[in-house]
Amino acid sequence: MSGPSTSLTLDALDLSALLCSRVCHDVISPIGAIVNGLEVLEDDNDPSMREFALDLIRKSAKTASARIQFARIAFGAAGSAGASIDLADAEKVSRAMFADEKTQLSWSAPQALFPKNKVKLLLNLVVIASTAIPRGGHIDVKVAGDGDAPTFTLRSKGSHARIPNHVEALIAGTPEGGTVDAHGILPFYAGLVARAAAMDVRFVIEGDEVTVSATPTEAKTGLPGAPAPSVEDERPSDSAPPSDTQLA
């Protein structure tokens, strides 16, 4: 390896722009499919084609809604109780996010409110864990401990499992080349949230299984990994994730 890496600091405008690009990337495909379905309904009178278009619209609207609700908690200011988020909400949006995917999700967590940044970290790690199995498979999510000192363990098992390229450097805030783009912003942001939540993220691969773990950082004043300020100001939060009809 080369010499010591330098941490990258993004200003607020660049960070928000890259996160917006990431969210738009995730929803543009299902929204485009909805538009295509509507065009078929307008131009084609064949009953079979119209039924195909309606089915496409239904599935795409459900996918778009799931991705927006997930992003609302993972990246936004959403929360159910001020500075805390219910883990049940995190499970709900995670299951919806992967409902129609090639990846199966299992979830084991206490029924409790956890600090907002810790839940945001968990959701971002769920997405990162899914990228560890590009051909699909199974992700087992386990949350242990309480909100003050939780442990997250995510095991991704599937064909061609691998630790995603550059993800460890991005989470550490030291991306290769000293820059980050919309493709790498999620793990970079996850690293920001991890440091704000005073948690360390580690990756281990054994055969066809990648384990992502997050554990409380040992507070060491003045050293990397010590608790950092929150990634968002204290502000009134909105309500729990809306239903599909509320988003419509």
Side-chain angles (χ1 to χ4, degrees):
M1 295 180 63
S2 56
S5 300
T6 302
S7 295
L8 173 66
T9 301
L10 290 180
D11 64 33
L13 287 176
D14 287 339
L15 178 62
S16 59
L18 288 168
L19 285 174
C20 285
S21 293
R22 169 70 196 214
V23 173
C24 290
H25 174 271
D26 287 346
V27 300
I28 196 169
S29 177
I31 290 176
I34 293 171
V35 173
N36 291 338
L38 291 172
E39 290 176 349
V40 172
L41 289 179
E42 291 176 353
D43 301 335
D44 200 318
N45 292 322
D46 185 304
S48 63
M49 287 300 297
R50 293 179 67 84
E51 181 57 35
F52 170 80
L54 287 171
D55 186 56
L56 177 64
I57 292 170
R58 282 191 292 266
K59 290 180 178 178
S60 299
K62 184 177 180 181
T63 298
S65 174
R67 292 181 181 181
I68 290 171
Q69 291 189 42
F70 185 93
R72 184 170 170 267
I73 297 181
F75 307 133
S80 58
S84 300
I85 297 176
D86 195 328
L87 285 177
D89 290 340
E91 177 182 3
K92 179 180 177 181
V93 297
S94 295
R95 289 192 180 282
M97 181 77 166
F98 294 99
D100 295 321
E101 297 289 338
K102 55 191 176 182
T103 300
Q104 302 298 312
L105 183 70
S106 61
W107 189 283
S108 175
Q111 296 294 312
L113 294 171
F114 269 39
K116 183 176 292 185
N117 281 338
K118 289 183 170 65
V119 179
K120 287 179 179 293
L121 174 61
L122 176 61
L123 292 181
N124 279 269
L125 292 181
V126 170
V127 178
I128 292 170
S130 72
T131 65
I133 42 176
R135 298 193 180 185
H138 182 264
I139 301 174
D140 178 49
V141 179
K142 290 186 178 178
V143 179
D146 58 22
D148 292 330
T151 298
F152 304 149
T153 306
L154 299 87
R155 292 186 172 87
S156 301
K157 187 171 184 177
S159 175
H160 293 75
R162 82 284 193 276
I163 297 175
N165 290 335
H166 313 301
V167 70
E168 292 171 291
L170 285 163
I171 287 179
T174 57
E176 184 178 349
T179 61
V180 62
D181 57 18
H183 296 290
I185 192 60
L186 189 147
F188 182 85
Y189 176 74
L192 294 177
V193 178
R195 289 185 286 280
M199 297 189 74
D200 286 327
V201 179
R202 297 286 183 269
F203 292 81
V204 175
I205 183 168
E206 294 183 3
D208 60 355
E209 182 175 279
V210 174
T211 300
V212 187
S213 60
T215 55
T217 301
E218 293 184 8
K220 297 178 181 179
T221 304
L223 292 179
S230 174
V231 296
E232 60 184 33
D233 298 329
E234 290 297 328
R235 65 191 73 153
S237 62
D238 43 11
S239 59
S243 65
D244 291 349
T245 54
Q246 289 174 312
L247 285 172

